[in-house]
């Protein structure tokens, strides 16, 4: 599906800009007109992380005139495996500032606008306003749905990407352009779907691990991030056929690409014929950080790492006995662990196999069960299963291994 250019050309390119972008200028499809459009373009990138890092660098190198960065986090050492816009000396710095400096080094002709804040309902419209295009590098479902809805209401197209381990996805959602004042853009977007057309409902809480839980091959970020920029440049300049109404799926292990059609859903809650979402909603509640069962199970059954440390000392002294269960994955268990814990991954709780193991470890319930994971989300889900199986006094550790390393044992590596 071809699209007219999103941006009008700038008045001129300087001699220095002509030299810099000469390899673009000699491509007939881009040429002077296309490069002037890029110079005049305003693109917002959400996140300066795995996807945002390559996207920001290639947008800058391509000559996009104004690049906005939404980022509130700081650079951590674990980021450097994939977030190539940051370096060793940037550890502890604000990611937005680090990214800005890298962009300026790559292309001093680009204007960088920092939005050093967490994207929320209260600010998303004011942050998005004035940009021609959004590139979404977020890694959680609540923000993805908020980005989709806000972009739709403001009439801004956006390029979406997703990564996990060795797999990546990308698409362009331009449903918001249906109400564009430009009749050509409105006509081109008449059948364009939105993110909700592809994923009407978020997955159940805990069903899809984040990259922080499941990992990601660093170079996969470059593969998907560069595809996002490729689609963005096509939209800005009006060349080629962008991934509107198509989902691109990439398998890095098989080195395979395939495309699936994504159709506009007439029953879509946002952009369908009878929409039920006409304003921003509570996205955390919509997506749920944890299931209701897990949230209910955790009430009154959550302990701190300080309490756990005290309990472990009592167990060592023989005045208390319990079973400490780590519900992370085996490879996470190899990185760091709370001393005295045994490994039963969360999946074993979900498929029911963990209950037999708990019976054996606890002597048919004679010992209390204490569960933990990396941060407390997966252990809450496992806690709900354990309580449902009769372990009424089971508890889980709020903050998990992250809190343990930060507060109790900083000698262990974090991840």
């Amino acid at each position: 599906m071809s699209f007219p250019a999103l941006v009008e050309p700038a008045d001129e390119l300087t001699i220095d800009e002509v030299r810099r972008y000469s390899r673009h200028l000699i491509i007939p499809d881009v040429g002077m007109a296309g490069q002037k459009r890029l110079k005049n373009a305003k693109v917002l990138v959400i996140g300066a992380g795995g996807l945002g890092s390559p996207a920001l660098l290639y947008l800058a190198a391509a000559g996009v005139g104004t690049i906005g960065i939404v980022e509130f986090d700081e650079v951590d050492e674990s980021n450097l495996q994939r977030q190539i816009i940051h370096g060793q000396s940037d550890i502890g710095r604000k990611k937005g500032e680090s990214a800005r400096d890298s962009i300026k080094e790559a292309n001093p002709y680009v204007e960088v606008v920092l939005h050093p804040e967490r994207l929320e309902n209260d600010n998303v419209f004011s942050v998005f306003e004035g940009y021609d295009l959004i590139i979404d590098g977020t890694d959680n479902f609540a923000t993805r749905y908020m980005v989709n809805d806000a972009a739709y209401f403001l009439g801004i197209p956006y390029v979406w990407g997703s990564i996990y381990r060795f797999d990546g996805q990308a698409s362009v959602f331009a449903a918001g352009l249906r109400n564009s004042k430009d009749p050509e853009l409105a006509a081109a977007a008449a059948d364009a779907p939105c993110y909700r057309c592809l994923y009407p409902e978020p997955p159940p809480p805990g069903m899809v691990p984040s990259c922080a839980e499941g990992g990601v091959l660093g170079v996969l970020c470059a593969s998907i991030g560069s595809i996002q920029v490729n689609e963005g440049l096509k939209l800005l300049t009006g060349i080629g056929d962008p991934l509107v109404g198509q989902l691109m799926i990439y398998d890095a292990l098989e080195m395979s690409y395939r495309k699936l059609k994504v159709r506009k859903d007439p029953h879509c809650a946002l952009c369908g014929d009878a929409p039920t979402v006409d304003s921003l909603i509570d996205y955390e509640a919509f997506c749920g950080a944890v299931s209701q069962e897990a949230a209910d199970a955790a009430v009154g059954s959550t302990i701190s790492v300080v309490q756990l440390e005290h309990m472990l000392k009592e167990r060592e002294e023989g005045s208390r006995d319990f079973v400490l269960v780590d519900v992370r994955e085996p490879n996470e268990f190899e990185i760091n662990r709370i001393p005295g814990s045994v490994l039963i991954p969360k999946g074993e709780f979900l498929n029911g196999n963990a209950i037999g193991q708990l019976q054996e470890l606890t002597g048919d319930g004679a010992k209390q069960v204490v569960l933990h994971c990396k941060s407390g989300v997966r252990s809450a889900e496992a806690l709900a299963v354990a309580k449902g199986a009769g372990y009424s006094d089971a508890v889980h550790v709020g903050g998990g291994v992250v809190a343990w390393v930060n507060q109790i044992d900083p000698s262990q590596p974090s991840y």
Side-chain angles (χ1 to χ4, degrees), residues 111-227:
E111 179 184 354
V112 180
V113 180
L114 294 184
H115 302 274
E117 53 201 307
R118 186 188 297 272
L119 206 57
E120 296 176 336
N121 284 21
D122 292 342
N123 63 10
V124 65
F125 285 141
S126 61
V127 171
F128 283 11
E129 204 118 37
Y131 286 99
D132 304 302
L133 179 71
I134 295 167
I135 290 185
D136 181 11
T138 57
D139 61 356
N140 68 86
F141 288 99
T143 308
R144 287 173 184 168
Y145 280 98
M146 179 178 63
V147 168
N148 177 74
D149 295 358
Y152 176 78
F153 291 134
L154 290 174
I156 305 173
Y158 76 99
V159 187
W160 166 78
S162 175
I163 49 176
Y164 178 67
R165 290 187 175 168
F166 301 101
D167 301 317
Q169 300 180 359
S171 189
V172 173
F173 297 110
L177 287 175
R178 293 181 204 161
N179 298 318
S180 172
K181 295 178 181 178
D182 184 327
E184 281 191 84
L185 283 173
D191 295 318
C194 77
Y195 181 75
R196 287 178 181 267
C197 295
L198 177 61
Y199 297 116
E201 300 286 340
M207 183 64 70
V208 180
S210 68
C211 289
E213 295 174 354
V216 62
L217 186 70
V219 71
L220 179 69
C221 302
S223 300
I224 302 303
S226 61
I227 287 172

Side-chain angles (χ1 to χ4, degrees), residues 12 32 42 68 96 159 169 219 225 251 310 331 357 390 401 406:
E12 62 180 5
M32 288 291 287
K42 297 180 179 180
V159 187
Q169 300 180 359
V219 71
D251 182 333
H310 183 67
N331 56 319
Q357 298 177 64
V401 173
N406 288 340

Side-chain angles (χ1 to χ4, degrees), residues 53-388:
S53 288
L56 286 165
L57 289 173
Y58 271 112
L59 287 169
V64 170
T66 302
I67 299 175
I69 307 172
V70 182
E71 183 58 82
F72 64 92
D73 204 0
E74 294 180 353
V75 179
D76 181 80
E77 190 170 15
S78 66
N79 301 148
L80 302 183
Q81 163 257 8
R82 64 201 176 282
Q83 299 180 16
I84 58 171
I85 204 166
H86 313 297
Q88 186 71 22
S89 62
D90 295 315
I91 292 175
R93 293 185 68 199
K94 293 290 186 181
K95 283 186 180 179
E97 296 176 6
S98 168
R100 175 201 59 203
D101 293 349
S102 295
I103 288 171
K104 284 298 186 181
E105 181 65 23
N107 189 345
Y109 304 114
V110 171
E111 179 184 354
V112 180
V113 180
L114 294 184
H115 302 274
E117 53 201 307
R118 186 188 297 272
L119 206 57
E120 296 176 336
N121 284 21
D122 292 342
N123 63 10
V124 65
F125 285 141
S126 61
V127 171
F128 283 11
E129 204 118 37
Y131 286 99
D132 304 302
L133 179 71
I134 295 167
I135 290 185
D136 181 11
T138 57
D139 61 356
N140 68 86
F141 288 99
T143 308
R144 287 173 184 168
Y145 280 98
M146 179 178 63
V147 168
N148 177 74
D149 295 358
Y152 176 78
F153 291 134
L154 290 174
I156 305 173
Y158 76 99
V159 187
W160 166 78
S162 175
I163 49 176
Y164 178 67
R165 290 187 175 168
F166 301 101
D167 301 317
Q169 300 180 359
S171 189
V172 173
F173 297 110
L177 287 175
R178 293 181 204 161
N179 298 318
S180 172
K181 295 178 181 178
D182 184 327
E184 281 191 84
L185 283 173
D191 295 318
C194 77
Y195 181 75
R196 287 178 181 267
C197 295
L198 177 61
Y199 297 116
E201 300 286 340
M207 183 64 70
V208 180
S210 68
C211 289
E213 295 174 354
V216 62
L217 186 70
V219 71
L220 179 69
C221 302
S223 300
I224 302 303
S226 61
I227 287 172
Q228 289 182 278
V229 174
N230 184 68
E231 295 308 297
L233 299 183
K234 286 156 61 178
L235 288 164
L236 295 169
T237 58
I239 62 174
D241 295 320
L243 286 170
V244 177
Q246 299 179 85
L247 174 66
M248 195 285 301
I249 301 173
Y250 172 55
D251 182 333
L253 286 183
E254 297 292 332
M255 189 45 68
S256 64
Y257 291 87
R258 59 194 178 103
K259 288 196 289 187
L260 303 177
K261 283 190 176 296
V262 180
R263 301 188 185 280
K264 169 189 168 185
D265 181 2
H267 305 293
C268 176
L270 180 71
C271 71
D273 298 335
T276 56
V277 176
D278 56 7
S279 62
L280 301 180
I281 64 172
D282 186 336
Y283 295 96
E284 292 292 341
F286 177 61
C287 296
V290 295
S291 67
Q292 190 59 52
E293 292 82 0
D296 292 341
V299 174
S301 297
T302 302
I303 64 171
S304 69
V305 290
V306 174
Q307 289 173 290
L308 175 61
E309 183 186 34
H310 183 67
M311 291 171 63
L312 286 169
K313 288 178 181 177
E314 289 181 329
R315 187 172 75 171
E316 192 175 318
E317 294 166 353
S319 61
R320 184 171 193 161
D321 203 5
F322 62 93
V323 177
L324 179 60
V325 178
D326 188 332
V327 304
R328 297 176 300 161
E329 294 301 307
N331 56 319
E332 295 177 274
F333 193 67
E334 292 178 7
I335 297 171
N336 57 22
R337 68 189 70 175
I338 298 176
S341 59
V342 296
L343 180 67
I344 306 178
K346 185 189 79 172
E348 296 292 288
F349 284 85
L350 298 183
N351 65 26
N353 291 339
I355 303 307
Q357 298 177 64
L358 288 181
Q359 289 172 345
E360 191 174 322
L361 289 166
T362 63
D364 288 329
K367 300 176 184 178
Q368 184 185 21
V369 173
V370 179
L371 303 161
H372 78 83
C373 63
K374 180 180 180 180
S375 62
V377 175
R378 284 175 282 177
S379 58
E381 300 289 345
L383 179 66
V385 175
K387 284 183 173 290

